[in-house]
C-alpha cells in the first residue's frame, strides 16, 4: 500500500521478525513499561503480535493483531509509571476483558472500552484484531472529568457508532494522512469524543463536521453495497440507517445531493464494467445490475457524464478513454475537507 507524499510516520512492529521461541519475550519486553504480559501455557511455536502505530498530536493510535493474551498493570507499576493517560480500546474482532477490584467489564466485537492507565487493572484478550487510541492527559485535561467518569466502561452513547467509524477511517487510511492534516484530525477527534461522552449543545456544535464526516462514511458504504437495488433512494437510506432526511441532506449537501451521488456512483460502476475487456455482459445487463431500470435514461446520463455512449465504452478498451477518472474522493478527503471548517475546540484541546 503506497503512502502519499509527506505522509505521517508509522511505526511498525512484528514478533515474526524473531525466532518463534523468542517472540513472546520480545513483545513482553516491549510492553513492560505499561503492563506485565502473562505467558501462555506454551510459546514454543511462537507468539504472534504485530502493530502499526502513528501519532496525531497527542493521540497515539495503534492497530494491533495478536494471539490471545492476558496482562496486568499492578498497583506498584501504576504508581511508579509516568504513564497516566487514558486509552480507548476498539475491538475489531474477539473480546476484551478488563478487571479491577473483582469487577470485570467485557467489550465485544465492534465495541469501545475506555481505560485509565492511572489505575491498576488486569486485562485479557480473546481475539486477533483491535485498536488502541491513547489520549494524552495534558492534551485532554479539558475533558478529564468525563473521561474519568467513563473509566473502565463500554461506551454506548448514541454517537458511539460514529466515533467507531471515525477511528476505523483513521486506521484504514493512515497511509493517506499527511503531516499538515494531523492537527485537523486531532482536533476533529477531540470534539467528536467530547460530544460522545457529554452531548451538550456546545459539544455537538463543535463536533458537527466530524459527525457529518462519519455519517457520510456510513452512508457512502451503504450506497455502494446497495447499488443494484432500484429502490435505493433517500427514504430507503434513511429507513435503513435510522437517519433523518434533514441529516442525510446536510451530509450530502456539498457533494451535490443524495440523488446525484447515487447516480454518479452507479455510472462510475457501469463505466468500470463496460470498459473491462474481460466483462462480456450486455450493456443492458450491466445497467440493470447497477440499479438502472430505464435504458434510455441510462444511456443519456452516461453520455452526459463521459461524452461517449455505453455501447462505445463497451466496444473499446479502457485505454481508448484515457483521462476518464472514475475514482471518488477518499473518505479521508471528505473528512479533512469537512473538519477543516470546524469550530476550534478549547486551546487545551488544540
Amino acid at each position: 500500500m503506497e503512502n502519499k507524499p509527506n505522509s505521517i510516520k508509522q511505526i511498525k512492529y512484528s514478533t515474526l521478525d524473531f525466532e518463534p521461541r523468542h517472540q513472546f519475550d520480545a513483545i513482553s519486553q516491549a510492553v513492560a513499561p505499561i503492563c506485565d504480559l502473562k505467558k501462555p501455557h506454551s510459546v514454543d511455536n511462537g507468539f504472534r503480535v504485530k502493530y502499526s502505530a502513528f501519532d496525531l498530536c497527542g493521540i497515539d493510535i495503534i492497530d494491533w493483531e495478536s494471539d490471545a493474551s492476558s496482562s496486568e498493570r499492578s498497583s506498584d507499576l501504576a504508581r511508579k509509571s509516568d504513564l497516566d493517560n487514558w486509552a480507548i480500546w476498539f475491538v475489531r474482532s474477539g473480546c476484551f476483558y478488563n478487571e479491577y477490584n473483582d469487577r470485570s467489564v467485557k467489550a465485544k466485537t465492534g465495541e469501545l472500552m475506555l481505560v485509565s492507565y492511572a489505575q491498576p487493572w488486569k486485562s485479557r484478550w480473546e481475539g486477533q484484531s483491535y485498536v488502541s487510541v491513547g489520549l494524552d492527559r495534558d492534551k485532554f485535561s479539558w475533558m478529564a472529568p468525563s473521561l474519568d467518569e467513563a473509566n473502565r466502561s463500554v461506551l454506548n452513547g448514541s454517537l458511539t457508532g460514529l466515533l467507531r467509524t471515525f477511528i476505523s477511517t483513521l486506521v484504514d487510511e493512515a497511509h493517506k494522512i499527511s503531516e499538515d492534516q494531523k492537527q485537523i484530525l486531532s482536533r476533529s477527534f477531540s470534539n467528536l469524543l467530547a460530544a460522545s461522552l457529554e452531548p451538550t449543545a456546545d459539544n455537538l456544535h463543535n463536533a458537527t463536521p466530524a459527525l457529518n464526516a462519519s455519517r457520510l462514511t456510513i452512508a457512502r458504504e451503504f450506497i455502494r453495497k446497495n447499488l443494484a437495488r432500484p429502490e435505493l433512494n433517500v427514504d430507503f437510506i434513511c429507513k435503513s440507517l435510522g437517519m433523518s432526511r434533514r441529516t442525510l441532506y446536510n451530509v450530502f449537501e456539498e457533494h451535490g445531493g443524495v440523488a446525484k451521488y447515487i447516480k454518479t456512483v452507479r455510472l462510475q460502476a457501469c463505466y468500470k464494467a463496460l470498459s473491462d475487456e474481460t466483462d462480456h455482459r450486455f450493456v443492458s445487463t450491466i445497467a440493470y445490475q447497477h440499479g438502472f431500470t430505464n435504458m434510455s435514461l441510462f444511456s443519456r446520463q452516461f453520455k452526459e457524464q463521459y461524452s461517449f455512449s455505453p455501447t462505445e465504452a463497451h466496444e473499446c478498451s479502457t485505454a481508448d478513454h484515457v483521462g476518464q477518472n472514475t475514482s471518488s474522493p477518499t473518505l479521508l478527503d471528505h473528512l479533512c475537507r469537512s473538519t477543516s471548517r470546524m469550530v476550534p475546540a478549547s486551546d487545551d484541546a488544540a
Side-chain angles (χ1 to χ4, degrees):
M1 191 175 295
E2 186 177 351
N3 287 14
K4 67 183 292 186
N6 194 36
S7 60
I8 60 173
K9 179 181 179 181
Q10 295 187 63
I11 299 174
K12 298 183 181 296
Y13 175 93
S14 175
T15 58
L16 299 181
D17 294 334
F18 302 88
E19 294 182 12
R21 61 193 180 93
H22 295 313
Q23 290 175 4
F24 177 82
D25 290 337
I27 187 62
S28 182
Q29 292 176 15
V31 301
I34 302 173
C35 61
D36 176 24
L37 192 63
K38 304 300 182 182
K39 181 175 289 188
H41 293 300
S42 175
V43 292
D44 293 340
N45 295 324
F47 189 76
R48 186 186 63 89
V49 176
K50 64 177 182 178
Y51 65 74
S52 177
F54 60 95
D55 168 71
L56 286 181
C57 305
I59 302 174
D60 297 320
I61 300 180
I62 308 177
D63 185 22
W64 298 83
E65 290 185 18
S66 172
D67 289 339
S69 62
S70 61
S71 63
E72 179 179 5
R73 184 170 174 82
S74 65
S75 299
D76 187 55
L77 180 57
R79 184 174 60 255
K80 294 179 179 179
S81 174
D82 58 359
L83 180 66
D84 59 357
N85 298 349
W86 300 276
I88 297 173
W89 289 91
F90 169 27
V91 185
R92 303 190 97 174
S93 68
C95 294
F96 173 60
Y97 299 84
N98 189 272
E99 180 182 329
Y100 177 65
N101 283 344
D102 297 327
R103 176 176 175 264
S104 180
V105 180
K106 175 184 178 181
K108 304 185 295 296
T109 298
E111 292 185 329
L112 309 174
M113 182 188 294
L114 182 67
V115 176
S116 170
Y117 285 86
Q119 298 179 356
W121 42 255
K122 295 179 181 179
S123 67
R124 177 164 51 93
W125 278 104
E126 294 179 358
Q128 294 187 336
S129 180
Y130 44 98
V131 177
S132 63
V133 182
L135 310 174
D136 180 82
R137 185 167 288 269
D138 291 334
K139 176 182 175 64
F140 286 88
S141 60
W142 61 287
M143 68 170 81
S146 297
L147 290 168
D148 284 335
E149 184 177 352
N151 179 37
R152 202 170 288 106
S153 67
V154 174
L155 305 182
N156 55 12
S158 60
L159 302 181
T160 300
L162 298 177
L163 181 63
R164 179 176 60 243
T165 298
F166 198 107
I167 295 173
S168 293
T169 301
L170 292 177
V171 170
D172 295 339
E173 302 195 4
H175 62 287
K176 302 176 184 177
I177 300 176
S178 63
E179 286 291 335
D180 56 359
Q181 292 173 330
K182 288 173 60 174
Q183 188 65 50
I184 293 173
L185 296 175
S186 176
R187 186 170 64 245
S188 174
F189 176 83
S190 300
N191 285 337
L192 180 53
L193 177 59
S196 300
L197 296 176
E198 193 174 349
T200 63
D202 286 344
N203 285 346
L204 289 171
H205 174 72
N206 290 341
T208 296
L211 290 170
N212 284 342
S214 293
R215 290 176 179 130
L216 179 64
T217 299
I218 294 171
R220 289 178 72 221
E221 182 65 20
F222 180 83
I223 289 171
R224 289 186 179 278
K225 288 182 177 179
N226 290 275
L227 284 181
R229 305 184 70 147
E231 68 271 26
L232 181 63
N233 56 26
V234 171
D235 290 335
F236 181 75
I237 296 171
C238 290
K239 182 177 180 181
S240 300
L241 298 182
M243 194 179 295
S244 71
R245 292 174 67 91
R246 179 180 179 182
T247 297
L248 189 65
Y249 284 138
N250 287 339
V251 165
F252 280 92
E253 181 179 6
E254 66 176 88
H255 308 291
V258 185
K260 181 179 179 181
Y261 180 81
I262 293 174
K263 182 187 75 172
T264 299
V265 175
R266 278 178 166 156
L267 289 173
Q268 289 175 346
C270 288
Y271 172 82
K272 183 177 181 180
L274 290 169
S275 58
D276 182 355
E277 292 180 314
T278 64
D279 193 329
H280 302 295
R281 290 175 293 171
F282 292 115
V283 172
S284 58
T285 300
I286 291 174
Y288 289 135
Q289 290 181 349
H290 288 91
F292 289 100
T293 57
N294 185 316
M295 280 302 298
S296 296
L297 179 61
F298 164 67
S299 296
R300 185 169 67 251
Q301 291 179 341
F302 189 95
K303 191 163 186 177
E304 289 174 352
Q305 178 79 12
Y306 296 109
S307 300
F308 48 83
S309 71
T311 301
E312 290 173 322
H314 205 35
E315 292 174 347
C316 301
S317 67
T318 306
D320 293 323
H321 300 301
V322 175
Q324 298 299 331
N325 181 16
T326 63
S327 64
S328 299
T330 67
L331 303 184
L332 192 60
D333 290 333
H334 289 302
L335 200 60
C336 290
R337 183 165 62 247
S338 179
T339 55
S340 65
R341 297 189 298 274
M342 74 196 315
V343 177
S346 66
D347 291 340
D348 291 337

